[in-house]
Amino acid sequence: MNALDRARQAAIAAGREARSAYRGGLVTPTAGIAPGMTQANLIALPRDWAYDFLLYAQRNPKACPILDVTDAGSPSTLLADGADLRTDLPLYRIWRDGKLVEEVSDATKAWAEHDDMVTFLIGCSFTFETALQEAGIEVRHIADGCNVPMYLTNRACRPAGRLKGDTVVSMRPIPADRVAEACSISGRYPSVHGAPVHIGEPGLLGIQDLARPDFGDAVRIEPGEIPVFWACGVTPQAAVMASGVPFAITHSPGHMFITDVPDSTYHV
Amino acid sequence: MNALDRARQAAIAAGREARSAYRGGLVTPTAGIAPGMTQANLIALPRDWAYDFLLYAQRNPKACPILDVTDAGSPSTLLADGADLRTDLPLYRIWRDGKLVEEVSDATKAWAEHDDMVTFLIGCSFTFETALQEAGIEVRHIADGCNVPMYLTNRACRPAGRLKGDTVVSMRPIPADRVAEACSISGRYPSVHGAPVHIGEPGLLGIQDLARPDFGDAVRIEPGEIPVFWACGVTPQAAVMASGVPFAITHSPGHMFITDVPDSTYHV
């Protein structure tokens, strides 16, 4: 096995070890875990809601780029051999009538309430973070060992069937002279949110205070840094809330599904 | 109005004129018409089949990149203001039980058989042809004024629900020393089929004779040119046939829907 194959095998193994640890009960954000392996947002809905959601995702592809959809009732995905989507994420959220009712590290019990759950795996901006770092652009929440900050915005998604809601964004502070590069690097990954949706001027997105994110952790913004906003895979959770969806299971923001798929797969 | 705005308005106007002519009964392939405006494949299905198809498209995104999905029963799309999807393409195919039963220039009557038709508009490789031409790469079927050649392959799509089928490809002969450039140019348009799926060696795709395409017209291949294959939006029609879909309306291969959206929108 050559050095490149060894590196790839090591990255896949790191992802599998992490999934196994989460299955065993470990709860931790996944930013920076198994670098180079694609991470995904998750939302599982009863089959009755699957078409509305798939259409919502199609109509809002920057926020909801779909990487895989399971068959109804199946907890397996092509994106990670042997993974169980009910247990292999560090933390899940259970939603009833649009309200968050519980966070659990094992969603097996909730999943069993319906025999036709359809699971959507959605691209995550963590995928291009390794590429940003390789270009020498610091990713603040990784450097500081916390979760990425995420914000509800005033930007309405295009509705689909019974689903509506606003866009959620993630934010990374980037030095003013590296913002253009961050745009072009992330833009080459369109199926994991792609280029930023907004740069600077958080007030125009309806964000009052960057120090108080709606999800995840606040991060330092140094002098000379600009807040850069990417569409975020927590957007489906905003739709669950805004639409009063009767039952849904999602990942907890920042606590993603780690796949066996290298980030480079999504590079165009 | 500046020169750029004038050029854009002229391109949009050319697309609208073409749609209007098709509505009036003109039947002609659309390659090279309204250069710079995105063209789309079309398939309309009763609502009962919409989820299976949307899932099929999601699972086979190179062949079936979705640009828009209408609400059930609506013949309108965000992609072209005032367009009527039942009349504004030059030629339609009507399918019953997986068999092509009729080609018509106006699909209004067939459409009216169901009150819940859902229409899918799918990216078309014509979108990057202008970019190829601007790079000085001849697009043979445009140069020769015919339809692009399309072939059924032996490459199975990933099934979804009741839908299965093989991938259809379009072919363009490219000089050997421009193939790499054709790959990188088209690769920057991932939502309209993106980079080629196969280069040279048609036999490995199960194509016996390039001179006998399954859809469209054969084109000249000059010495020193390599046949380059892109995933094609006729793939849904192969699925209609292979799956025995009870009722579907599609565009006729090469006779696309011309939108008001500039090609540059799909450039990453």
Side-chain angles (χ1 to χ4, degrees):
Chain A
M1 195 183 283
N2 65 29
L4 200 60
D5 285 341
R6 274 199 303 277
R8 173 165 293 194
Q9 290 306 319
I12 293 176
R16 290 191 174 159
E17 268 168 44
R19 290 202 304 268
S20 172
Y22 305 147
R23 189 183 296 196
L26 179 68
V27 177
T28 175
T30 54
I33 305 294
M37 303 312 295
T38 294
Q39 302 195 11
N41 301 272
L42 178 147
I43 178 167
L45 295 158
R47 170 68 180 82
D48 171 49
W49 283 77
Y51 181 69
D52 282 4
F53 185 75
L54 192 52
L55 192 59
Y56 193 74
Q58 189 284 321
R59 288 178 173 175
N60 300 285
K62 281 210 87 155
C64 308
I66 299 235
L67 304 184
D68 195 27
V69 183
T70 69
D71 288 321
S74 167
S76 302
T77 170
L78 285 187
L79 303 182
D81 199 34
D84 186 326
L85 295 169
R86 300 168 296 190
T87 57
D88 289 5
L89 283 72
L91 196 60
Y92 298 85
R93 292 185 153 184
I94 314 296
W95 303 81
R96 297 186 195 279
D97 297 323
K99 292 192 173 52
L100 171 62
V101 294
E102 200 182 355
E103 282 200 313
V104 294
S105 69
D106 182 331
T108 307
K109 198 171 145 222
W111 221 285
E113 291 181 31
H114 294 261
D115 61 6
D116 63 354
M117 294 297 282
V118 176
T119 306
F120 300 87
L121 294 169
I122 294 168
C124 169
S125 52
F126 291 175
T127 300
F128 55 69
E129 289 183 342
T130 305
L132 292 175
Q133 290 175 304
E134 282 169 352
I137 298 174
E138 179 180 288
V139 177
R140 182 60 38 77
H141 59 275
I142 296 180
D144 285 7
C146 65
N147 200 345
V148 64
M150 292 161 273
Y151 305 86
L152 273 165
T153 71
N154 56 13
R155 302 297 165 91
C157 287
R158 188 176 162 204
R162 294 160 286 179
L163 290 173
K164 62 179 179 182
D166 293 331
T167 302
V168 175
V169 294
S170 64
M171 190 280 288
R172 291 159 189 77
I174 307 281
D177 63 350
R178 306 300 303 273
V179 171
E181 210 177 339
C183 293
S184 53
I185 291 171
S186 57
R188 301 299 295 271
Y189 291 89
S191 51
V192 289
H193 303 306
V197 292
H198 194 91
I199 293 164
E201 295 287 358
L204 295 179
L205 286 177
I207 299 171
Q208 302 307 320
D209 185 356
L210 288 176
R212 297 178 56 184
D214 295 289
F215 312 93
D217 301 317
V219 295
R220 284 181 295 124
I221 303 183
E222 297 292 337
E225 292 181 340
I226 308 294
V228 178
F229 300 93
W230 279 266
C232 176
V234 173
T235 300
Q237 300 184 33
V240 166
M241 289 186 266
S243 315
V245 173
F247 183 70
I249 300 170
T250 70
H251 73 291
S252 186
H255 299 70
M256 320 303 291
F257 178 63
I258 301 178
T259 73
D260 287 348
V261 180
D263 290 342
S264 56
T265 302
Y266 298 109
H267 186 275
V268 299
Chain B
M1 195 182 285
N2 66 31
L4 198 61
D5 285 341
R6 274 200 303 275
R8 172 165 296 195
Q9 290 305 320
I12 292 176
R16 289 189 176 161
E17 270 169 44
R19 290 202 302 268
S20 172
Y22 305 146
R23 190 183 296 196
L26 178 67
V27 176
T28 175
T30 54
I33 307 293
M37 303 310 294
T38 293
Q39 301 196 11
N41 302 273
L42 177 147
I43 178 168
L45 294 159
R47 171 66 180 83
D48 171 49
W49 283 78
Y51 180 69
D52 282 2
F53 185 76
L54 192 51
L55 192 58
Y56 193 74
Q58 188 284 320
R59 288 179 173 174
N60 301 285
K62 281 210 89 155
C64 309
I66 301 235
L67 303 184
D68 194 28
V69 183
T70 69
D71 287 322
S74 167
S76 303
T77 169
L78 285 187
L79 303 182
D81 200 32
D84 186 327
L85 295 170
R86 300 167 297 190
T87 57
D88 289 5
L89 283 72
L91 197 60
Y92 297 85
R93 294 185 152 185
I94 314 296
W95 303 80
R96 297 187 195 278
D97 298 322
K99 292 192 172 50
L100 171 62
V101 294
E102 201 182 356
E103 282 200 313
V104 294
S105 70
D106 182 331
T108 307
K109 196 169 145 228
W111 221 286
E113 291 182 31
H114 294 262
D115 61 6
D116 63 353
M117 294 297 281
V118 177
T119 306
F120 300 87
L121 294 169
I122 294 169
C124 171
S125 51
F126 292 175
T127 301
F128 54 69
E129 287 182 343
T130 305
L132 293 175
Q133 291 174 303
E134 282 169 352
I137 298 174
E138 179 181 286
V139 177
R140 182 61 38 76
H141 60 274
I142 296 180
D144 285 6
C146 64
N147 200 345
V148 65
M150 293 161 273
Y151 304 87
L152 274 165
T153 71
N154 56 14
R155 302 297 165 90
C157 288
R158 188 178 163 203
R162 294 161 286 180
L163 290 172
K164 61 179 180 186
D166 293 332
T167 303
V168 175
V169 294
S170 64
M171 190 278 289
R172 291 160 189 79
I174 308 282
D177 65 349
R178 308 299 303 274
V179 171
E181 211 177 339
C183 293
S184 53
I185 290 171
S186 57
R188 301 300 294 271
Y189 291 90
S191 52
V192 289
H193 303 305
V197 292
H198 194 90
I199 293 162
E201 295 285 359
L204 294 179
L205 285 177
I207 299 171
Q208 301 307 320
D209 185 356
L210 287 176
R212 300 177 56 183
D214 296 289
F215 312 94
D217 300 319
V219 295
R220 283 180 296 125
I221 304 184
E222 298 292 337
E225 291 182 340
I226 308 296
V228 178
F229 302 93
W230 279 268
C232 175
V234 174
T235 300
Q237 300 184 32
V240 166
M241 289 186 264
S243 315
V245 173
F247 183 71
I249 300 170
T250 69
H251 73 291
S252 186
H255 299 71
M256 320 303 292
F257 178 63
I258 301 178
T259 73
D260 287 347
V261 181
D263 291 341
S264 57
T265 302
Y266 298 109
H267 186 275
V268 298

